[in-house]
Amino acid sequence: MTSQGSHRAEPSTTAGEREMLDGWLDYHRATLAWKCEGLGEEQVRLTPLKPSDMSLMGLVRHMADVERYWFREVMLGEDLPELYWSDGDPDGDFRFTDEDAWADSERVWQTEVELARQAAAGRSLDLVSDAASHHRGEVFSLRWVYTHMIEEYARHNGHADLLREHIDGATGD
């Protein structure tokens, strides 16, 4: 897996704030994609860390929902249905059926990443969200959303590291 990680662009060490935040977020997005690279349908569905239901496919589905929520629902105030989870099943992104395909999950995630980039493009980091969070009832700056998304990916990429190592022994930073 180490050679595949070279496709990730290292964030600049001297960039301005916006370029730095974009760089780190894209780096972490690429890291999750890398952790899933080269695996088959059965492998991305595996939940080897019992009793957890966590899988690589579940992490990708979760991050699609998170991208959608923070950049589009909160920042832009769009009224969108959740992709995979619901109030009745808050962990629905980690539960899927035989009809749910990896290719579809990956495509939805990549689409949400692109839509998130579009939602943030050209907007000031000081911009306050059009909507309040459903969970906290607060509004957020775009800077806060970027920082939170980097944290969210970093945490889940740690989970992806463990999952991938259990699936096929592959490791890499």
Side-chain angles (χ1 to χ4, degrees):
M1 209 164 79
T2 302
S3 64
Q4 295 170 356
S6 63
H7 294 112
R8 297 176 298 161
E10 288 280 334
S12 169
T13 60
T14 58
E17 183 180 21
R18 180 57 174 266
E19 184 183 346
M20 185 77 66
L21 291 171
D22 277 327
W24 275 109
L25 184 52
D26 283 341
Y27 179 82
H28 282 293
R29 288 166 171 157
T31 298
L32 182 55
W34 173 45
K35 296 299 175 180
C36 299
E37 248 180 40
L39 297 177
E41 183 80 29
E42 286 184 25
Q43 290 172 306
V44 295
R45 293 169 167 271
L46 290 174
T47 57
L49 304 175
K50 297 298 180 196
S52 173
D53 286 336
M54 193 174 299
S55 66
L56 289 170
M57 185 164 151
L59 286 174
V60 164
R61 288 163 50 109
H62 175 68
M63 292 312 299
D65 259 327
V66 171
E67 293 268 7
R68 179 183 186 99
Y69 178 73
W70 284 107
F71 284 103
R72 296 175 59 207
E73 291 183 53
V74 174
M75 283 309 302
L76 299 183
E78 293 180 13
D79 185 19
L80 301 169
E82 307 313 333
L83 293 169
Y84 303 112
W85 69 275
S86 66
D87 289 336
D89 188 8
D91 293 324
D93 33 12
F94 292 97
R95 287 190 258 289
F96 33 84
T97 68
D98 290 340
E99 287 78 41
D100 296 311
W102 164 244
D104 293 335
S105 298
E106 186 178 33
R107 179 187 47 74
V108 168
W109 173 52
Q110 290 300 325
T111 297
E112 290 301 329
V113 164
E114 184 53 37
L115 292 169
R117 285 186 182 115
Q118 291 172 21
R123 290 183 166 77
S124 166
L125 292 173
D126 294 324
L127 179 72
V128 175
S129 61
D130 286 344
S133 162
H134 302 136
H135 310 291
R136 295 173 55 173
E138 298 175 84
V139 294
F140 298 86
S141 71
L142 183 56
R143 178 180 292 102
W144 188 96
V145 170
Y146 265 99
T147 304
H148 174 68
M149 290 299 297
I150 291 165
E151 175 272 329
E152 183 91 8
Y153 270 103
R155 180 166 33 97
H156 289 312
N157 283 339
H159 298 136
D161 279 338
L162 291 170
L163 288 164
R164 182 67 189 247
E165 186 172 6
H166 275 79
I167 291 167
D168 69 356
T171 60
D173 63 355

